[in-house]
Amino acid sequence: MTFVRWSRLARLSASRAGTVPPIAALLFGAVLVLGLAGCGSTPTPTYNLSAPAGFTAGGRGAGQLVVVAPTALAVLNTDKVMVEPGPGQVAYLADAQWSDNLPALLQARTIQAFENASKLRRVARPGDGVNADYQLVIDIRTFALRITDQGPVAVVELSAKLIGTQSGRILAAQVFKAAVPAASTAGPVATAALDTAQEQVLVQMVRWASARF
């Protein structure tokens, strides 16, 4: 399989780096530099996410919404494509990466999804100077290629909360999830499956939020 494992042992070793003898640390640093130099000779292919189009979403009024940058754990706050080889295990594809860190990329595609659903004049991002009535807060629970007994499956799960800007209260909340089978763990195939899954999730989320503002 074309992915690089990040095991608990590796994390434990990293946490004890301060106890490594100076000579051992220098040797480790030299090996790391050589390894990075070798990796740099072959650029990792970069893949993008797309915003769903060709769908519509209703609305209750003329409220304006800002889409806050999604939150995510450190393992997902990266441009690497995450793999779950087994329960509690984390790895990354060695032959693929996203075009930006996942939260930033997903925020952009979420806004575009709202715009594509005829919400162009009602959705923005924080800092655009919009006096928003609502905030959409998203947490990335899962965005990974999950290895199962039936084969690899692209799983995207997002938790969304619609918050009233004036009241600061959560007006609605829901979890959205999609799973799309992938023919293999190869970079182009895996990223395409993840892209399809996130499009399905965004359509669900845009329609859900649009009915409430």
Side-chain angles (χ1 to χ4, degrees), residues 122-202:
R122 295 174 57 188
V123 179
R125 70 182 67 213
D128 283 348
V130 174
N131 292 321
D133 303 292
Y134 306 94
Q135 290 185 14
L136 182 63
V137 178
I138 302 169
D139 180 64
I140 306 175
R141 289 187 169 190
T142 304
F143 205 107
L145 191 69
R146 183 171 294 167
I147 308 302
T148 71
D149 294 338
Q150 290 73 41
V153 179
V155 180
V156 174
E157 184 176 351
L158 306 179
S159 170
K161 294 181 179 68
L162 193 65
I163 300 174
T165 304
Q166 295 299 321
S167 67
R169 296 176 63 87
I170 298 175
L171 306 177
Q174 190 161 323
V175 175
F176 302 91
K177 183 177 180 179
V180 175
S184 73
T185 61
V189 177
T191 53
L194 283 165
D195 188 37
T196 300
Q198 69 92 27
E199 281 197 344
Q200 293 179 7
V201 167
L202 289 187

Side-chain angles (χ1 to χ4, degrees), residues 26-51:
L26 289 174
L27 291 174
F28 176 79
V31 171
L32 179 61
V33 170
L34 290 174
L36 291 175
C39 293
S41 62
T42 305
T44 303
T46 299
Y47 297 90
N48 212 337
L49 292 174
S50 54

Side-chain angles (χ1 to χ4, degrees), residues 55-61 65 113-114 117-119 122-123 162 203-213:
F55 75 104
T56 58
R60 298 194 308 176
L65 175 77
F114 275 102
S118 303
K119 304 295 178 184
R122 295 174 57 188
V123 179
L162 193 65
V203 169
Q204 297 173 37
M205 187 167 61
V206 167
R207 285 177 170 164
W208 167 81
S210 297
R212 291 163 173 80
F213 78 96

